[in-house]
Amino acid sequence: YKQVVVLAPTTLLAEQHEKVFKERFRNWPFNIKCLSRFKSKKEQDNIISEIKNGQCNIIVGTHKVIQKDIKFKSLGLLIIDEEQKFGVKHKEFLKKIKNEINVLTLTATPIPRTLNMSLGGIRDLSIIATSPENRMPIKTYVSNWEKNVIKDACDREINRGGQVFFLHNRVNDITAVYNTLKDLMPSYSIKVAHAQMNASQLEKIILEFYNKKFNILLSTTIIENGIDIANANTILVNRSDKFGLSQLHQIRGRVGRSNKQAFCYLLVSDRNLITENAKKRLLALETMEDLGSGFSIASRDLEIRGAGALLGDS
């Protein structure tokens, strides 16, 4: 028996993978465990010893899983989800342990270096271009920060029974944004989520949102990867000119995960004052809204940013 590691960039995504794996393999005799900061110290120690003696077959986790003190009995396959989220340092460490194991990396938007390697034939690449049944492309608009645009977008979504993501990527003034939204839409319930909260509080808020307990989730990019909430189909991204292209594509992918039409509003303080590169990025997103456009977006990103060196950190 070989062991499989599924590596995810965030705790929330790892938890979600654990649920899905347990559901999919419920009729198989596999022992599936998740290693993340949501687990207590005692649970973590138990899981680590099970990994060591081979009792644990599938290990899902954040980069905690690939730290030096964790020894695998017989690692056979490493699956890296959202590969663009792992830095060069992580990848160099993975290279050390991966001489004799198979590696599968998954990403909707490969970083320029990975894409360049694939196009050059150094790595094998396969593209899943068929979208799930009944999915519709996400309508994307770039707009200045205007209260009526924000209010209309939220009204439309909430009136049809849906929920809204509002993304603001600075913890230090997220409370000010919360107050602004509260004044603008006093009748909606809004909650805040960011990575500086403690784990149980964060998990509780995400779970409440998942269970439709409130209307608007105001959060940082902590929701960027893998949060799968089918009922939330409008996302507003504040200061969208400050994000990278593939990052925005990932953020936009939080909505439109069911058969409802989804909307994404990229808000900027003033369209005329943003940099040339930011304009190019926002234009690329507005024009490439088809399903499966991740590959085209990644290619555009490669053109805008260049490929970087194939070896080393740069």
Side-chain angles (χ1 to χ4, degrees):
Y1 275 99
K2 291 279 188 199
Q3 290 167 306
V4 178
V5 167
V6 182
L7 193 57
T10 63
T11 314
L12 294 169
L13 180 54
E15 293 281 310
Q16 203 154 334
H17 277 322
E18 182 192 21
K19 284 197 189 86
V20 172
F21 271 83
K22 282 187 167 163
E23 176 60 27
R24 287 278 173 93
F25 289 116
R26 63 176 188 273
N27 300 327
W28 295 77
F30 296 156
N31 182 8
I32 300 167
K33 288 282 159 55
C34 177
L35 196 58
S36 74
R37 73 187 174 107
F38 283 175
K39 299 274 188 281
S40 69
K41 179 81 179 80
K42 192 177 169 207
E43 283 178 298
Q44 289 187 23
D45 291 342
N46 287 344
I47 294 170
I48 291 170
S49 71
E50 283 188 14
I51 292 172
K52 214 177 207 165
N53 61 29
Q55 278 176 302
C56 194
N57 310 108
I58 298 176
I59 305 105
V60 184
T62 53
H63 49 266
K64 261 188 180 340
V65 174
I66 54 167
Q67 283 166 358
K68 291 186 178 67
D69 55 342
I70 296 182
K71 299 279 178 280
F72 296 95
K73 191 175 180 200
S74 57
L75 185 57
L77 173 65
L78 170 68
I79 299 173
I80 306 175
D81 192 16
E82 303 290 1
E83 185 245 12
Q84 79 285 354
K85 274 286 171 215
F86 289 92
V88 171
K89 221 197 270 173
H90 289 131
K91 287 177 191 160
E92 293 305 314
F93 181 73
L94 293 173
K95 276 181 197 157
K96 287 195 186 82
I97 63 166
K98 79 171 201 180
N99 287 342
E100 57 287 338
I101 63 173
N102 298 311
V103 180
L104 172 66
T105 55
L106 311 167
T107 171
T109 48
I111 55 173
R113 180 158 88 157
T114 308
L115 182 62
N116 197 19
M117 282 176 162
S118 305
L119 296 174
I122 296 172
R123 300 174 65 157
D124 288 336
L125 171 76
S126 50
I127 297 174
I128 301 174
T130 337
S131 57
E133 239 178 318
N134 301 329
R135 286 269 176 100
M136 285 180 276
I138 300 160
K139 290 211 180 317
T140 306
Y141 309 100
V142 178
S143 156
N144 287 347
W145 171 284
E146 280 169 22
K147 288 184 172 175
N148 58 345
V149 171
I150 295 168
K151 192 171 180 335
D152 289 350
C154 294
D155 285 345
R156 183 196 301 143
E157 183 59 53
I158 293 165
N159 289 340
R160 64 172 183 176
Q163 291 159 286
V164 177
F165 286 115
F166 193 102
L167 201 118
H168 175 79
N169 201 28
R170 280 171 46 182
V171 176
N172 55 3
D173 58 358
I174 201 162
T175 318
V177 176
Y178 172 80
N179 293 333
T180 309
L181 294 178
K182 205 74 197 130
D183 293 344
L184 184 62
M185 301 173 283
S187 57
Y188 297 147
S189 53
I190 306 171
K191 291 204 176 177
V192 178
H194 56 74
Q196 287 174 23
M197 295 175 150
N198 71 38
S200 55
Q201 197 186 358
L202 182 63
E203 193 178 21
K204 185 166 161 267
I205 286 176
I206 299 291
L207 211 64
E208 281 180 7
F209 194 59
Y210 186 74
N211 293 325
K212 307 179 189 171
K213 295 274 197 305
F214 59 97
N215 309 109
I216 301 173
L217 178 67
L218 168 61
S219 82
T220 56
T221 48
I222 189 164
I223 59 153
E224 178 185 343
N225 299 106
I227 300 286
D228 192 353
I229 295 174
N231 195 46
N233 284 303
T234 292
I235 188 164
L236 298 104
V237 184
N238 192 19
R239 314 261 325 249
S240 57
D241 52 311
K242 302 289 181 209
F243 293 89
L245 182 53
S246 56
Q247 193 177 25
L248 279 172
H249 179 64
Q250 290 283 352
I251 290 165
R252 174 170 69 177
R254 291 314 99 218
V255 294
R257 302 180 80 89
S258 66
N259 52 9
K260 277 186 183 170
Q261 177 63 62
F263 301 91
C264 170
Y265 295 83
L266 303 170
L267 305 172
V268 292
S269 45
D270 184 341
R271 287 187 80 151
N272 303 318
L273 297 179
I274 58 179
T275 64
E276 272 314 302
N277 269 358
K279 279 182 188 158
K280 281 184 195 166
R281 292 196 295 267
L282 296 174
L283 180 70
L285 276 158
E286 246 185 328
T287 48
M288 295 181 198
E289 49 179 33
D290 299 347
L291 292 162
S293 59
F295 188 75
S296 329
I297 282 179
S299 312
R300 190 81 191 88
D301 200 19
L302 179 63
E303 284 168 33
I304 295 175
R305 287 206 287 166
L310 282 187
L311 303 163
D313 289 9
S314 59

